[in-house]
Amino acid sequence: MAARAMNSCVIIRSAASPPPTFWSCCPQRQFRTRRFHRYLRLHSRCSLPRYPLSHDGARSYSVQSLVETVIEELYSMRKRGRIRASTELGLTSTSELLEDKVGKQAMQKGLLLEFKKDSERLLLAVALRPDGKKNWIVSDQNGVTTSIKPQQVTFIVPGIENFDPMEISNFVQKAHNNLDPALLEFAWNELLENKKSVTVEELAEMIFGSAEPLESYCAYLLLSRDDIYFTVLGSKGPQSIYGPRPVRQVDQLLQKKLAKEAEEKEIEEFVQLLKSIKEMPPHAKPPNSMWKTEEKNWQKIKSLEAFAIDACKNDDQKRMTGTILKAMGMAKTASAAVTLLIDIGYFPVHVNLDLLKLSIRTDHPDEIVLAAESLLLESTDLDEVDRVDLTHLKVYAIDVDEADELDDALSATRLEDGRIRIWIHVADPASLVQPGSIIDKEARRRGTSVFLPTATYPMFPERLAMQGMSLKQGQQCNAVTVSVILRSDGSIEEYSVENSIIKPTYMLTYESASELLHMNLDEEIELKILSEAATLRFRWRQQQGAIDASNLETRIKVTNPNDPEPSIKLYVENQSDPAMRLVSEMMILCGEVIATYGSYNKIPLPYRGQPQSNIDTSAFAHLPEGPVRNSAIVRIMHAAEMDFRKPVRHGILGIPGYVQFTSPIRRYMDLLAHYQVKAFIRGDSPPFSAGELEGMASMINMYIRVVRRLCNSSLRYWVLEYLRRQSKNTKFRAVVLKFIKDRNALILLLEIGTQASVWVSTGVQIGDEVEVRVEEAHPRDDILCLKEVPRA
């Protein structure tokens, strides 16, 4: 047996009795009998009691069938004028409906009203007294007295005068206990069939059998929370008229609601999964591949990742992420998304966000890898017959200790007349890769190899770069060799450019090369000659106006970067170190020769220049030599320029022209120069015109700037992580480069090779050394706070 109070009667129906036929006979739309019958079975409580203005008595109800009840009640309502036939939708304008149905209700003391406290809260309150001309002082359901504006009032409960503020909570509780959204479907069917609009009081009378305060407020709550069946046709102040939505629109809204509920349930399950994984120890967290097993979970993870790196493709991803973060009790911020992904083990603790944000290519597509493997197996050397055999030379390859791709190497001898002859051997990837090939196009898209503290992402597939292109100790290697004979003053007397075969003798780090130079061994006379040539070249360039901008350079190698506490090795390289100076001078020499060669033979090349050749270095003579003076000079230097038809003077280097040529495995612009030069040596036309070179250079340089930004931010992150791990008592030597403002100075940390700012004491001058210690270091937020250590 199920009972339902409807209007002024109780509907009592046996579970075995047949469903009433009234609902299935509606000509416009059949009522959802199954849902309504289920609703009758599940909701076996009495009618909403009227709010007892005189807390006495209860209504009496008679027992009737469902059909008789509904028909009799609707007839009674119409007879009493509660529903007027003249209010048919589509026949009466909104303004007429408002005039006909909604009366103007002025604010007065004792009214019970709902008002908008803020963007998220609606509260019931009792009007106490006016506050100025328009505002009112009210006492809300929480016992708080406040002043509200008329536009904050969203509803005035009808039929109440002098309401007791102490009774608000009781009133609210009774209303919420008796809300049943299913009642709206009954009213919607009836009103839609008869094309009727309805006020709050009319709806209360229709579904509760009474328009008294509590019933009216319940009806208002149902309507205000409904987003399926009814829409507001018009409003006058806090009073509104509602009309039933069309059948098709209701169906669409119901489908959306069901979809939303399913999504909410899905998100709830996903959040529970996140919470459980978050509590797991690091070794027990699932691998990233686990998230891909279920598409729905994978899409949510990708939404979180996109939000974390500010790369959401649409509003749905943002909304999804916001919902997940809110359910996790976290702020809707990118940093919160990063934290969550770290907590569940999807991101490593030291995730490189810039690598993700900048969409840097890390892996090579399968088709590129397959093409590279084919090259290694089937490659033919187009220049084989023209190669000069230089395998008799002692060849030094000098680079950083973790270098994977070796692009260049050096040889030298002293001629009988005392002049120095130098050979600069450069790896020859253009003997394998042809312009316009699939591998060439992929290298062009990348523009450069990417060297990060945590990993290297080569421009070419790794096996091709390492086995097919890189110079290897003790093995015959194809190369393009630039041979130069220097005059006694360091200027170029003779040069040649030719394809060659070499056999590298030594693979040295800068440290080991410097050590060999310091030992001055007779067996390594060639290395000593190279050092002498570098000194001659440096002196000659300075006479041509070159500016020495050598400084300290930081290099970091991180082992096992995915570990929470990876191993960090920090190196500080002085660019004026003998071995680094040697290599640098030889690379500049090579670039000058290629520019001269290209100019003489009218070869379109990426010529680099620096027109600023009139810097008066004497203006910086008052600054200490070394990092302080060099840093000051670098700050006023202009950016390099490029020309693709003729050389441009490079004022900073002090040479008439310059072409980057010595890193064709790592830099695509160098590879382009190889394509052009090798075609000329072969007797062919250059594959690219000056205009084509310019177009490619524009795109490549744009990408290189992005990579440079990534490299700088990655280095900065790991420098800060290195400093974060240091003891608070560790002292670092620093030199003051300049003052930023007042006593806030820009300093160079000598043991770190990094610039930072710190407040220094009075009396400290530019060029002075100070000691500092780390107060705070937060790599993720790029924060470094240093404090000067007082002098003893």
Side-chain angles (χ1 to χ4, degrees):
M1 182 79 68
R4 157 61 73 189
M6 179 93 44
N7 301 318
S8 60
C9 53
V10 174
I11 302 169
I12 299 180
R13 171 174 168 264
S14 167
S17 63
T21 58
F22 172 80
W23 304 109
S24 60
C25 297
C26 295
Q28 291 190 7
R29 175 178 173 84
Q30 291 187 354
F31 187 74
R32 294 176 176 80
T33 55
R34 278 187 219 163
R35 178 185 295 180
F36 191 66
H37 292 161
R38 183 170 66 253
Y39 156 81
L40 290 176
R41 290 195 297 272
L42 295 177
H43 296 75
S44 57
R45 65 177 184 272
C46 294
S47 166
L48 290 174
R50 302 187 213 176
Y51 189 75
L53 296 178
S54 58
H55 298 259
D56 59 350
R59 267 184 207 186
S60 60
Y61 300 93
S62 60
V63 179
Q64 297 178 354
S65 72
L66 178 63
V67 176
E68 292 172 337
T69 300
V70 173
I71 294 176
E72 181 180 300
E73 182 59 26
L74 290 175
Y75 174 78
S76 175
M77 290 165 66
R78 292 188 181 108
K79 186 175 181 180
R80 293 195 303 268
R82 306 279 186 186
I83 301 179
R84 298 183 178 88
S86 61
T87 61
E88 292 187 8
L89 299 179
L91 298 178
T92 309
S93 68
T94 300
S95 60
E96 290 173 336
L97 285 173
L98 288 170
E99 289 297 326
D100 182 41
K101 289 195 169 192
V102 177
K104 185 176 181 180
Q105 186 169 8
M107 286 285 290
Q108 61 185 36
K109 180 180 178 181
L111 287 183
L112 181 62
L113 56 88
E114 182 188 77
F115 73 98
K116 195 169 187 178
K117 178 72 174 177
D118 51 41
S119 60
E120 296 183 353
R121 289 185 297 169
L122 293 169
L123 299 177
L124 270 186
V126 174
L128 300 181
R129 61 183 181 277
D131 182 26
K133 292 184 178 180
K134 296 183 178 181
N135 297 352
W136 273 78
I137 299 294
V138 300
S139 177
D140 67 29
Q141 63 195 62
N142 298 320
V144 177
T145 301
T146 186
S147 176
I148 64 171
K149 298 177 181 179
Q151 54 265 37
Q152 288 180 257
V153 179
T154 54
F155 183 65
I156 297 176
V157 180
I160 288 182
E161 296 179 0
N162 299 320
F163 195 88
D164 183 359
M166 300 299 292
E167 290 293 321
I168 298 178
S169 295
N170 187 34
F171 184 90
V172 171
Q173 185 63 48
K174 288 184 178 180
H176 284 278
N177 287 343
N178 290 289
L179 291 182
D180 191 342
L183 293 171
L184 283 179
E185 186 174 8
F186 156 67
W188 171 75
N189 272 277
E190 190 65 24
L191 292 168
L192 182 67
E193 180 183 354
N194 293 287
K195 299 181 180 179
K196 303 287 186 177
S197 62
V198 69
T199 63
V200 167
E201 294 95 321
E202 289 171 344
L203 182 66
E205 185 72 43
M206 185 176 183
I207 62 177
F208 298 123
S210 170
E212 293 192 17
L214 183 59
E215 284 82 349
S216 293
Y217 181 58
C218 287
Y220 164 73
L221 288 178
L222 289 172
L223 287 168
S224 63
R225 297 177 181 184
D226 170 57
D227 54 5
I228 302 293
Y229 297 106
F230 288 89
T231 184
V232 177
L233 298 179
S235 299
K236 181 185 289 187
Q239 310 299 322
S240 300
I241 294 178
Y242 300 84
R245 297 180 189 270
V247 173
R248 179 176 297 178
Q249 187 178 10
V250 168
D251 284 339
Q252 292 172 347
L253 291 172
L254 282 171
Q255 289 176 4
K256 288 182 180 179
K257 183 179 180 181
L258 291 173
K260 183 180 179 182
E261 289 172 350
E263 180 182 305
E264 288 173 349
K265 182 180 179 183
E266 193 176 284
I267 290 177
E268 183 181 352
E269 293 173 351
F270 180 72
V271 167
Q272 291 303 316
L273 177 62
L274 294 180
K275 289 180 177 179
S276 63
I277 293 176
K278 186 178 176 181
E279 296 301 318
M280 294 178 180
H283 68 274
K285 295 185 190 295
N288 287 0
S289 57
M290 183 277 288
W291 297 106
K292 297 181 181 180
T293 57
E294 282 195 62
E295 181 64 21
K296 60 182 182 180
N297 287 344
W298 178 238
Q299 291 305 318
K300 293 178 181 64
I301 288 292
K302 296 305 290 182
S303 293
L304 281 166
E305 181 178 354
F307 192 83
I309 62 174
D310 194 25
C312 288
K313 297 178 181 178
N314 49 57
D315 290 339
D316 286 344
Q317 284 191 322
K318 294 179 182 178
R319 179 183 56 80
M320 174 73 70
T321 301
T323 302
I324 294 170
L325 291 174
K326 183 177 180 181
M328 292 293 295
M330 306 174 77
K332 188 181 177 181
T333 61
S335 60
V338 172
T339 300
L340 176 57
L341 291 171
I342 290 174
D343 288 344
I344 64 172
Y346 181 80
F347 276 171
V349 173
H350 299 286
V351 59
N352 191 330
L353 295 176
D354 282 340
L355 182 64
L356 300 175
K357 289 179 181 179
L358 298 174
S359 300
I360 300 297
R361 298 169 182 264
T362 53
D363 298 324
H364 286 83
D366 291 342
E367 59 177 344
I368 302 299
V369 173
L370 290 174
E373 293 297 324
S374 297
L375 273 184
L376 288 171
L377 294 173
E378 306 166 5
S379 63
T380 56
D381 181 9
L382 298 178
D383 306 304
E384 184 176 4
V385 296
D386 296 325
R387 291 195 182 276
V388 178
D389 188 349
L390 299 178
T391 55
H392 62 282
L393 295 175
K394 183 180 285 187
V395 178
Y396 298 89
I398 305 173
D399 210 327
V400 295
D401 57 357
E402 67 269 15
D404 296 322
E405 309 158 348
L406 292 174
D407 290 278
D408 51 73
L410 304 169
S411 300
T413 190
R414 193 180 302 278
L415 302 178
E416 291 182 359
D417 58 8
R419 293 178 301 168
I420 295 175
R421 183 174 185 179
I422 301 163
W423 290 269
I424 304 161
H425 313 289
V426 183
D428 189 8
S431 66
L432 288 172
V433 179
Q434 299 303 308
S437 66
I438 184 174
I439 294 179
D440 169 70
K441 290 178 180 178
E442 177 67 16
R444 186 188 308 169
R445 279 191 287 268
R446 291 170 179 266
T448 180
S449 294
V450 180
F451 299 95
L452 302 179
T454 52
T456 296
Y457 303 107
M459 184 172 74
F460 289 108
E462 186 173 1
R463 264 176 46 82
L464 178 63
M466 292 292 295
Q467 297 185 21
M469 300 176 176
S470 180
L471 302 179
K472 294 174 284 294
Q473 183 177 7
Q475 298 184 30
Q476 290 192 357
C477 305
N478 289 343
V480 178
T481 296
V482 173
S483 174
V484 185
I485 297 177
L486 296 179
R487 296 188 179 95
S488 59
D489 65 352
S491 61
I492 299 172
E493 183 168 338
E494 298 178 21
Y495 69 85
S496 66
V497 182
E498 53 196 356
N499 295 304
S500 65
I501 299 176
I502 64 170
K503 190 175 182 179
T505 312
Y506 294 114
M507 297 295 189
L508 302 176
T509 64
Y510 287 113
E511 292 81 359
S512 59
S514 292
E515 186 176 347
L516 280 175
L517 286 170
H518 180 71
M519 293 171 66
N520 197 21
L521 299 174
D522 291 339
E523 307 92 275
E524 303 304 334
I525 186 65
E526 294 87 353
L527 188 62
K528 185 177 178 180
I529 293 172
L530 281 169
S531 180
E532 183 182 338
T535 301
L536 288 175
R537 283 293 299 170
F538 180 62
R539 188 180 303 141
W540 178 83
R541 289 194 306 106
Q542 284 189 311
Q543 292 171 356
Q544 310 307 308
I547 296 172
D548 181 14
S550 59
N551 213 326
L552 300 182
E553 185 174 303
T554 306
R555 190 162 51 85
I556 284 183
K557 182 67 176 178
V558 179
T559 307
N560 299 323
N562 289 339
D563 290 349
E565 291 287 325
S567 171
I568 303 175
K569 291 184 179 180
L570 184 144
Y571 310 86
V572 179
E573 297 170 342
N574 190 333
Q575 293 175 338
S576 60
D577 173 84
M580 296 198 76
R581 177 79 75 186
L582 185 159
V583 173
S584 175
E585 286 299 329
M586 294 303 103
M587 300 304 103
I588 294 172
L589 175 60
C590 181
E592 181 183 352
V593 169
I594 294 298
T596 304
Y597 183 78
S599 175
Y600 182 80
N601 296 295
K602 297 181 173 54
I603 305 173
L605 289 170
Y607 299 99
R608 291 180 178 271
Q610 222 298 345
Q612 190 177 7
S613 58
N614 58 347
I615 295 178
D616 183 9
T617 55
S618 63
F620 301 92
H622 65 287
L623 298 174
E625 286 190 53
V628 178
R629 185 182 297 180
N630 294 346
S631 296
I633 294 173
V634 167
R635 284 195 292 270
I636 66 170
M637 289 181 180
H638 294 167
E641 296 180 357
M642 295 191 72
D643 195 297
F644 301 90
R645 294 168 177 81
K646 62 183 185 302
V648 180
R649 173 169 171 75
H650 204 301
I652 300 301
L653 297 180
I655 55 179
Y658 180 66
V659 173
Q660 287 185 328
F661 193 77
T662 58
S663 295
I665 305 177
R666 309 179 188 187
R667 296 190 302 236
Y668 189 80
M669 293 302 296
D670 294 43
L671 181 64
L672 280 178
H674 275 243
Y675 285 151
Q676 301 291 92
V677 168
K678 285 176 64 65
F680 181 82
I681 294 173
R682 202 179 297 124
D684 297 336
S685 298
F688 302 108
S689 67
E692 289 172 325
L693 287 177
E694 185 173 5
M696 287 187 285
S698 176
M699 297 298 296
I700 293 166
N701 287 334
M702 182 171 63
Y703 185 75
I704 288 174
R705 284 193 291 272
V706 172
V707 170
R708 189 177 296 123
R709 173 183 160 192
L710 169 66
C711 293
N712 291 340
S713 67
S714 300
L715 180 63
R716 169 79 174 176
Y717 177 94
W718 287 105
V719 166
L720 294 187
E721 175 62 17
Y722 177 85
L723 291 172
R724 185 188 68 81
R725 298 185 186 185
Q726 305 308 305
S727 166
K728 293 291 184 181
N729 297 322
T730 303
K731 300 176 184 178
F732 297 94
R733 292 170 48 241
V735 61
V736 177
L737 300 178
K738 71 170 187 174
F739 285 97
I740 302 170
K741 185 178 180 181
D742 298 328
R743 304 306 299 171
N744 189 24
L746 179 68
I747 62 172
L748 175 65
L749 295 169
L750 298 175
E751 294 103 335
I752 306 298
T754 296
Q755 295 184 6
S757 63
V758 68
W759 190 272
V760 296
S761 56
T762 304
V764 175
Q765 302 296 321
I766 292 176
D768 288 350
E769 276 199 22
V770 295
E771 284 188 329
V772 298
R773 59 182 176 83
V774 178
E775 288 279 286
E776 288 184 78
H778 302 291
R780 184 68 65 202
D781 301 319
D782 192 22
I783 294 174
L784 175 62
C785 296
L786 303 175
K787 187 175 183 178
E788 182 186 9
V789 178
R791 297 176 181 176

